[in-house]
Amino acid sequence: MNYYPFHIGDYRSGTMHLTNGEDLAYRRALDWYYDTEKPIPLETQWVSRRLRVDTKDLETVLQDFFVRTEEGWVHERCDQEIAQFQQMQAKNRANGAKGGRPKKPKETQKNPVGLQSVSDGVAVETHSKGNQEPRTNNQEPDIPPTPQGVAGGFQPPVNDPPEPHELPRPTGDNSHPLAGTVCQLMKRLGVGLVNPGNSKLNALLNAGVTVGQFEDAAHKALAAGKSFSYALGIVEREEREARSLGAQLQKPRVAAQPVNRQEALEARNRAVGDAWLQEMQARMEGAGHAR
């Protein structure tokens, strides 16, 4: 494919969390995918050199937006667009083999309504003109015309394309059983670019995070205008804080020594008596010096 539809709003809302390097890696990975019409190879270092992007940035976007399979990193939205393109291409080739676009059947009626043949061969109108505006509702061509500058005869779809990252999708052998459920829930709430094969999502589920925690994070992400990766970051941070607090609460406390009130009172009385005795001795010595 040398053409594919690019929806600016969908892309911007789903990639606001990316750095400049990651955004560049994602765009070039999409171009590679559409150009080859095949999954991104698993050798990420080899791919990053040919895309001229940082390997770490490429691996980050592959984890976020693609699903790892034996054939490579696949992208469901790209596969949908490629399938539509190939279907239209095959249809155009079939029409070309038949000599072009099918023609409409010609009118075979000898005397159309409103006309009458005469001896000199000139057709004469026999009815009033009335409303002669042409009907346009049946004048749609059978096949959309090929847009100028697009090779292969591919016509971009007129209707709105399907939502990005529709479920279900292949999640891989290491995906948690609840990964698809979490993604369906988030997508229903309005979170875009969900991916049940995301490694962070599956790690959190394996650590015991509940579906309700992901739902709360989805609401917070939507309130901040963020997407799927941001929601996962919220869950990860809250889980880390909860574990830290739990570890502090589990530390053994040093028991306070019981206070013996009788001993404390006796000690206080001794201290007061010692102070009074010292004061009296000092007074007696002062009086003797005065004599």
Side-chain angles (χ1 to χ4, degrees), residues 1-2 60 71 98 108 142 146 172 195 219 225 253 260 270:
M1 292 178 63
N2 59 358
T60 299
E71 293 77 18
K98 296 176 182 179
T108 57
D142 293 339
T146 302
N195 180 6
H219 287 296
R253 297 183 178 181
N260 191 318
R270 283 197 299 271

Side-chain angles (χ1 to χ4, degrees), residues 183-251:
C183 289
Q184 288 176 344
L185 173 63
M186 286 191 171
K187 187 175 182 63
R188 190 162 57 248
L189 294 174
V191 177
L193 299 175
V194 298
N195 180 6
N198 185 280
S199 59
K200 183 181 293 185
L201 168 64
N202 286 277
L204 291 171
L205 286 170
N206 289 326
V209 177
T210 64
V211 177
Q213 291 176 264
F214 286 105
E215 182 179 4
D216 293 340
H219 287 296
K220 294 177 182 178
L222 290 172
K226 303 295 184 178
S227 62
F228 181 64
S229 298
Y230 186 85
L232 295 185
I234 293 176
V235 177
E236 184 181 34
R237 183 179 66 255
E238 292 178 348
E239 184 70 9
R240 184 168 55 247
E241 292 174 354
R243 290 187 178 183
S244 177
L245 179 60
Q248 293 178 4
L249 294 176
Q250 291 177 359
K251 290 182 178 180

Side-chain angles (χ1 to χ4, degrees), residues 31-72:
D31 290 343
W32 175 301
Y33 205 106
Y34 283 116
D35 184 42
T36 62
E37 300 180 22
K38 295 179 181 179
I40 303 294
L42 298 176
E43 296 81 2
T44 53
Q45 186 173 5
W46 179 82
V47 174
S48 63
R49 285 181 57 83
R50 279 145 185 81
L51 294 181
R52 291 174 289 114
V53 297
D54 185 76
T55 303
K56 184 178 180 181
D57 291 339
L58 178 62
E59 291 176 347
T60 299
V61 299
L62 288 175
Q63 291 287 343
D64 272 356
F65 303 109
F66 293 76
V67 176
R68 182 187 177 98
T69 65
E70 294 181 357
E71 293 77 18

Side-chain angles (χ1 to χ4, degrees), residues 110-129:
K110 292 182 179 180
N111 295 322
V113 177
L115 297 177
Q116 181 180 357
S117 298
V118 294
S119 59
D120 59 359
V122 179
V124 181
E125 277 190 282
T126 60
H127 297 286
S128 60
K129 292 183 180 180

